[in-house]
Structures are given as C-alpha cells and as structure tokens.
Amino acid sequence: MTPTPASSVLPADHPLATPSELPYGLPDFSAVTDAQLAEAVRAGMAAQRAEVEQILGAATAPTFENTVRAFELSGQLLRRSAAMFFTLVSADGTDARQGLAEELSPELAAHEDALLLDPRLAERVAAIDGAGLTGEDARLLEVLRRRLDLAGAGLGEAERAELGRINTELAGLTAAYTRRLVADTAERAVLVTDRERLAGLSEDDLASAAAAAREAGHGGADGEGRDEAGPWLLTLSLFTSQPWLASLEDESLRREVFEASVGRGAAGEHETLSTAMEVVRLRLRKARLLGSASWAEHALKDRAAPSTTAVEELLATMAPRAMANARTDAATASAHAGRVGGAVAPWDWPALSAAYARERFAVDAGALRPHFELDRVLHAGVFAAATALYGITFEERPELAGRLYRPGIRVFEVRDEDGAGVGLFVADLFARSTKSGGAWMHTVRDAADALDERPVVFNTMNVPAPAPGRPALLTLDEATTLFHEFGHALHGLLAKGEYVSLSGTHVPRDVVEFPSQVNEVWLREPALLAEYARHVETGEPLPAGTLDRLEAADLWGEGYRTVEYLGATLVDWAWHSLTEDTVEAATADPAAFERRVLTEAGIDPELVPPRYGTGYFKHIFGNDYAAGYYSYIWAEVLDADAVEWFREHGGMTRQNGRRFAEELLSRGETRDLLESYRAFRGRDAELEPLLRRRGLVEAAA
C-alpha cells in the first residue's frame, strides 16, 4: 500500500496538509479552525478508503505485510484530524463543535463500516497463514480477525447493510445525547443570590462559585460583579451527588442542588431519556444481527470477563452486603445528628457523613483542602511517585501550551532515566462550561514503532477554577482522581510496541481501569504525603496522625460509596441485558424500570441513588462503556490484589515499578492482559483483597 499524502486531498496551505512539526507530533490546535478540522476529517476518510482499496484490489496473494500490517498503517490523516477534533468536542465543546460532531459521527461510523464490512477484507485476512507469525505480528492478526468478526464481516449482504444503518444512527444518537447532557448540566447549575444560604462553604469555594457566575453571564450590571456581593453559581459535576452537598448547611439548598442533578435529561429542551431509549433498542437490534441475545452478551465477546453469569455473580455477591453496610452507616450518621426515626435523604447524607467523620475519626475533609494545592500535588505527589517507581522525569514546556485550545492547559515533556524522550503529558484540569463532565485520559499520538511515533497523552479533569490570584485547592476526592487519571497516562506513556492497535490503553474495556486504580494507592504513601500535602500558606505538613485517622475512617461510608457505584453498574447492565421479549416494556417507562432494577437487586434508591441516572449516564449513552460500567469493580479485583503484592515487596520502589512496567504497563494488548497479570503476580488475582478493602468480608449477605 502506498500511503495517500494529505497534501493530495487537502489544499497545500491547509494546516493539516502535513504532519505537525511540533515536538512528538503535538497537534497545533492554535493553527486550525473548526471548519478546517471537519474538512481534514472528511479528506482523511477519503484518503483511507483509497489506501484500503489498494490493499483489497491487489492481484497478489494476501500476506501479513500486504494486508494486515498495511491495513493497520492506513488512515493516518484521519487519525490525526479526528484525534484533534474529538479532543475539542470533549474538552471545549462549543455549540458549533457539538453540532459538527453530530454531523461527523454518523459519517465516521459509515466510513468504518465501509472498511470492516467489505467482504474482500475478511476474505484476505482469513486466507493468511499465521503459522509463521510470532510476537506482535501474530497478536495483530488475531486482534484484527476478532474485530472483523465482532463488526459483522461474516454477515450476508442484506444484514451488513442493515448493520451499517444501525451503526450510523447510533453514532448520531450518542453524539446528540452528549450535546444535550452538556447543555442541560450547564443550564441546571443553581444560582444563589443570598450569601447566607451558602453557609458552610469556604472562602475559596465562594470565590470559585462567584467566578463561575460571572463566566456564565450572571455578574453585576457591568458584567463584573464582586465575590462578596454575588451572585454565586453552584455548577454540577457529572455525578448524582454533588461536592457542594458535604459543606452546605442550608438543607433546602442541598435539596435544590440534588434535584437539579437528578433531573438532568428528564424533560425540556435538552431531554435525553428518549435518545437513550432509542440507543438501547438499536443496540439490541445490532446484537441480534450479530448472533447474541442481548448487547451485554455481545459486548463480553471482547472483554476479559468470561461470561454474563460471571459479571452477574460478582454484582450479586457485593450488592446486598454493601447495602447492609450503607443502612448501618445511615443509621449511625442519623443518630449522631439527633434525627428522630433515622431517616436520611440523599441530599443530606454527604453533610451528615462528613459531620460524623469529623467527630468520630477527627477527619475533616474540608479542612484538608489547604494541604492539597494542585501544583504541589502534581509535582511533589503524582510526578514524584512516577519518578520513584518508573524513573521518568517531567519538564514543563510552556511554549507548547500556547499551541493548545485554551489558556491554563499545561504541557510536560517526559524523559526516561537516561534522558531520552518518552513523550508529552498534557494536563487540562480546570472546569469550563464547554467541557464534558467527569475526568478522563486520551491520546492524540501513541507509542508505535511502526509509525516512529511517541505518545502524547492528555489528562482532563473538572477542578473548579480558582479566583484570580488564588491557588487551586483540591478535595481529597479530586486528589485521588488526579492520581487515578495519571495511572491511565502512565499506561499510555510507558507503552512499548509496534502497532497503535496494541498500544497502551487499547486493552479490553473491563481491565483498562486496572493500572489507574493501582496508581491511586500512592496518594497515601507516607513519605510522598509528607512532601506534597503541605499547607498552601504555612508550608506545614498534615497534622501528626492524619494518615492514621484517614485510614481508620476508610471504611466509614464505604457501603454508601459502593452502593452508589453498584447502582449505576446494575442500571447499565440491566439496560443492555434486555432481550426482544423485554425491551419494549422497559423502554416505555425508563424511570420505573430503573427503580425496579435497583430494588430487585436489594438496593434502596431512596437512601442511596445510583452514581448516574439514565438521563445523565454519559459513560454508557455518550461513550463506549455500554454493558461495561462493571469494569471498575472487575478491574479492582486485579488492583486490590496487585496492591497487596506491592506492600509485600516494599511498596514504592524502583525495582517494583520496573517489574510492573515491564510486565503490565508496557505491554498493552501485545499479549492478553490476564496473561500479563500472571507474569507480574505469579498467579491469577484473588477476590478476597477487594472484599476486605470494601468492608464486605463480614457484612451480612
């Protein structure tokens, strides 16, 4: 195959007519308009079709080199331009970009189908004798064959045509769901004009809320406003339970914030439920075409979990035990607050839980924030742990940050112990109204020797931006998320291999969270904590005994947190386990179906609502976690077991990091991840460490 030069399908002066000349191929976001990006994506599709046509039209017999490797290396213009475009859609998704995404997503789905469902490709790949292949070449052939099978390449012509129509429609619907959710989340933010209602919030919280109000156009007559005069805007995170709820003393305001959160997508201009239900029905139709009874059954064909029964057994083991713990914790917190009858509303739980923890364990999460200044946590915590374990170092490159899409985004060059370049790490950490909720990692370049390419990895979060001149302070949860997302970044940065399709985080969905969850453990490494958790004004470390108190308090509220997660997992699994006999009744009343699923699993949604509701569950209706939200707990089985190995072998040492990197982080999909885990651990993972961590060993079943 002869690659199609971008300059042959784009104007010579187009900013993407040639690959970026910036270090590591960092895309120059500052040099391209939305219209030019859309033009490049469409040109990239045309270029890849021409490249693949060369492969499929060749008169020579199919070989690994002229078919599998050639197909893997095709489409580089599309890959570069699509990575840029969807970075912007997620992190700075203006109305115009969201609209373009709704246009382009169906086109991209149709393009992928045109390639994968072409019977000539399946025939050529099937004809290749893989007996002489070894290593990554053998693995790439195996992965491509599985990909073609799951895509439906073996279907008849009529079925392939129907599948293509479904995929195109699904792409448009998931883009529409995301656009509406982003808009509704911004619209439902709670505006407060009476400062007394904000009692309990810190001065930094108030300043952030005032800044958010100004950015949203709620300032004074001159558009400026003053922090002390308000108004204040309580923006919403992606979760059901909002961070504000732990601090606000006004119960009516807590309820208002909570109801704004759970009401997202239910009605109005940005309603998402009808879109979600159409997605559910279409996914089932697709699964049936591909020979499965449900989408969950189809999805597990490309996962580490061996069967739907295995997933359901894990959830059934945990849900009733966790709910029992949640009820006990709710009763304890209610009694501590002097409430008659023990009733705890979901908007009250965060405040009651925090109050109990302050008294019982002498742990005040709010009081810890001045010790978690973002820049220090990043450098003396996250980066320092990576240096200790993996020998890599970080140098900020402010001149490259100027090539990105918003001020305040930071770029770091990563080098190994010998000083050789590893890649770039990009940190886009502050919330903005055009950014999707939550936190995530993605790559715009990958470790791939076949392309002579090094990784460019993004971590994106939604930390409230501080007021001008003030430091950014993290909650303990936000600090944990920073370590978590950087665990994903390490999976991309430390990858080694020949092909993009086998590199870094290109692993089964239900194990991709494993390395990131392991990285969370270093947040509390005593020597590291002593360096990064210092008071932002005095430089003093955490008060003596804080770590011991945090660890003593670990299981407090764990039942509630586990049920929040399991509730969302059960909702996802239930929607995608529907069959032809059950789908119409379920989708006719999504709220009733969601309640029934939770109560039948032993969960009380009036006490512990799921982490996400159907109307704002972007993971499964806007991203690719459908029938996959169980992945976090499935991966945590590996994580909890691996953390025990680290503890048994001395913790955060270079020797331990070298082993973890060599056997797991660097491997990606170059071999089966569970095989990599066995090479690292010496055996399969065991469930017991997870149950102990979650406080479920002694809980009543």
Side-chain angles (χ1 to χ4, degrees):
M1 178 202 74
T2 303
T4 302
S7 57
S8 70
V9 290
L10 287 172
D13 61 349
H14 193 287
L16 293 181
T18 56
S20 171
E21 295 183 357
L22 294 176
Y24 302 92
L26 175 71
D28 190 350
F29 290 90
S30 67
V32 64
T33 66
D34 292 349
Q36 287 172 324
L37 269 178
E39 180 185 19
V41 168
R42 290 182 169 118
M45 287 189 275
Q48 187 176 28
R49 284 194 296 271
E51 291 165 354
V52 173
E53 187 57 39
Q54 289 182 52
I55 298 169
L56 303 184
T60 54
T63 65
F64 174 83
E65 289 290 335
N66 70 19
T67 301
V68 177
R69 183 183 172 93
F71 185 76
E72 169 72 14
L73 300 183
S74 69
Q76 292 309 309
L77 171 60
L78 176 59
R79 182 167 157 260
R80 288 190 287 115
S81 55
M84 290 182 72
F85 178 70
F86 286 105
T87 294
L88 291 172
V89 170
S90 296
D92 196 13
T94 61
D95 289 344
R97 286 175 183 150
Q98 295 285 357
L100 268 178
E102 283 193 59
E103 288 180 25
L104 286 173
S105 293
E107 294 177 33
L108 286 162
H111 169 72
E112 183 173 15
D113 284 341
L115 303 183
L116 297 182
L117 299 183
D118 190 321
R120 295 176 297 168
L121 178 61
E123 289 168 6
R124 287 185 69 88
V125 172
I128 294 170
D129 181 4
L133 297 176
T134 59
E136 290 186 53
D137 290 352
R139 184 67 170 169
L140 185 64
L141 175 60
E142 176 189 350
V143 167
L144 179 56
R145 282 176 170 165
R146 182 170 66 241
R147 183 183 176 195
L148 291 171
D149 180 59
L150 293 175
L155 297 176
E157 183 176 354
E159 288 81 6
R160 292 198 307 273
E162 182 180 358
L163 186 61
R165 289 191 293 271
I166 291 173
N167 287 339
T168 298
E169 191 171 352
L170 278 171
L173 287 168
T174 54
Y177 182 97
T178 298
R179 175 180 58 78
R180 293 171 188 167
L181 176 56
V182 169
D184 210 29
T185 298
E187 190 171 287
R188 287 178 180 267
V190 176
L191 186 68
V192 180
T193 56
D194 181 357
R195 180 166 178 159
E196 290 186 4
R197 298 191 73 200
L198 298 171
L201 296 188
S202 69
E203 289 301 316
D204 285 316
D205 284 336
L206 289 167
S208 293
R214 287 195 299 274
E215 183 180 349
H218 298 297
D222 60 359
E224 293 296 326
R226 293 177 295 123
D227 290 356
E228 63 271 19
W232 300 267
L233 191 67
L234 305 184
T235 56
L236 301 180
S237 71
L238 205 56
F239 301 130
T240 293
S241 187
Q242 300 297 311
W244 310 105
L245 301 181
S247 302
L248 287 170
E249 296 174 7
D250 186 321
E251 182 176 349
S252 67
L253 182 55
R254 292 200 301 264
R255 181 170 186 168
E256 186 178 348
V257 170
F258 176 83
E259 290 180 344
S261 177
V262 297
R264 283 175 291 177
E269 179 185 358
H270 307 303
E271 180 265 332
T272 60
L273 284 177
S274 60
T275 303
M277 295 304 94
E278 189 59 26
V279 168
V280 167
R281 288 188 286 266
L282 282 171
R283 283 176 177 157
L284 176 58
R285 280 177 54 197
K286 179 175 177 177
R288 296 296 295 131
L289 270 176
L290 294 169
S292 296
S294 68
W295 181 259
E297 182 182 305
H298 171 72
L300 259 62
K301 292 177 180 177
D302 195 28
R303 304 271 174 83
S307 66
T308 57
T309 300
V311 174
E312 289 158 4
E313 286 177 349
L314 177 62
L315 299 180
T317 296
M318 298 184 69
R321 301 184 189 190
M323 191 67 223
N325 285 351
R327 291 185 191 280
T328 299
D329 287 349
T332 300
S334 180
H336 175 262
R339 295 198 169 196
V340 178
V344 176
W347 51 84
D348 290 336
W349 164 257
L352 295 179
S353 175
Y356 178 79
R358 281 194 297 271
E359 183 169 318
R360 172 66 178 81
F361 304 104
V363 170
D364 184 348
L368 293 177
R369 285 186 66 189
H371 288 84
F372 292 102
E373 190 269 319
L374 188 152
D375 196 59
R376 191 173 185 94
V377 174
L378 184 64
H379 283 274
V382 172
F383 288 171
T387 301
L389 285 159
Y390 309 114
I392 54 178
T393 57
F394 303 83
E395 178 186 354
E396 189 153 13
R397 299 289 301 272
E399 79 282 7
L400 296 180
R403 303 301 188 101
L404 294 172
Y405 44 89
R406 282 277 193 143
I409 304 171
R410 303 172 70 179
V411 180
F412 299 87
E413 184 172 11
V414 185
R415 295 186 177 276
D416 66 16
E417 286 174 305
D418 298 325
V422 171
L424 294 179
F425 171 66
V426 182
D428 179 2
L429 303 180
F430 293 119
R432 62 181 70 95
S433 60
T434 53
K435 184 185 283 189
S436 292
W440 63 92
M441 166 269 192
H442 75 282
T443 60
V444 295
R445 309 301 283 160
D446 296 273
D449 291 347
L451 297 169
D452 193 25
E453 189 172 298
R454 295 290 89 203
V456 177
V457 177
F458 281 62
N459 273 177
T460 307
M461 289 178 59
N462 273 280
V463 176
R470 299 287 298 171
L473 304 180
L474 302 178
T475 65
L476 185 58
D477 283 346
E478 287 166 342
T480 302
T481 299
L482 189 61
F483 273 83
H484 175 97
E485 294 304 331
F486 195 73
H488 285 305
L490 288 168
H491 204 177
L493 287 166
L494 299 181
K496 294 180 180 178
E498 188 78 2
Y499 305 115
V500 169
S501 294
L502 306 180
S503 180
T505 56
H506 293 89
V507 297
R509 168 59 62 197
D510 51 3
V511 288
V512 74
E513 297 295 336
F514 160 51
S516 57
Q517 291 174 180
V518 168
N519 205 57
E520 292 178 26
V521 74
W522 310 122
L523 174 84
R524 296 189 185 184
E525 180 71 14
L528 197 68
L529 194 69
E531 291 299 318
Y532 79 79
R534 290 183 172 270
H535 196 282
V536 67
E537 294 177 357
T538 67
E540 291 296 313
L542 286 169
T546 298
L547 182 58
D548 292 338
R549 292 193 296 273
L550 283 171
E551 290 178 346
D554 271 349
L555 290 183
W556 168 250
E558 186 57 55
Y560 193 98
R561 290 188 293 273
T562 301
V563 172
E564 279 185 312
Y565 164 74
L566 291 175
T569 301
L570 288 161
V571 168
D572 166 38
W573 192 256
W575 282 125
H576 294 105
S577 295
L578 293 171
T579 65
E580 289 181 331
D581 294 334
T582 58
V583 67
E584 290 307 320
T587 55
D589 190 344
F593 177 74
E594 186 176 302
R595 282 194 302 273
R596 179 167 62 81
V597 165
L598 295 170
T599 54
E600 288 181 355
I603 289 176
D604 178 2
E606 298 302 317
L607 177 63
V608 189
R611 183 181 291 177
Y612 304 106
T614 301
Y616 50 99
F617 206 159
K618 182 174 180 281
H619 279 77
I620 65 171
F621 294 119
N623 287 338
D624 57 355
Y625 274 80
Y629 201 64
Y630 77 90
S631 301
Y632 290 91
I633 205 71
W634 194 268
E636 196 176 346
V637 174
L638 301 176
D639 152 39
D641 192 67
V643 166
E644 289 211 348
W645 180 91
F646 273 102
R647 288 172 176 156
E648 292 164 2
H649 291 80
M652 193 178 69
T653 68
R654 182 70 185 93
Q655 181 179 356
N656 288 346
R658 183 177 291 109
R659 180 179 178 88
F660 192 64
E662 288 177 354
E663 298 295 356
L664 280 158
L665 294 179
S666 67
R667 298 284 182 166
E669 183 69 349
T670 61
R671 69 181 179 193
D672 182 89
L673 189 136
L674 296 183
E675 181 184 340
S676 293
Y677 188 83
R678 284 189 288 272
F680 162 72
R681 188 67 163 106
R683 58 165 173 77
D684 289 329
E686 296 175 351
L687 180 60
E688 194 72 10
L690 169 63
L691 296 179
R692 284 197 298 271
R693 174 190 287 183
R694 293 274 181 168
L696 302 179
V697 174
E698 301 298 332

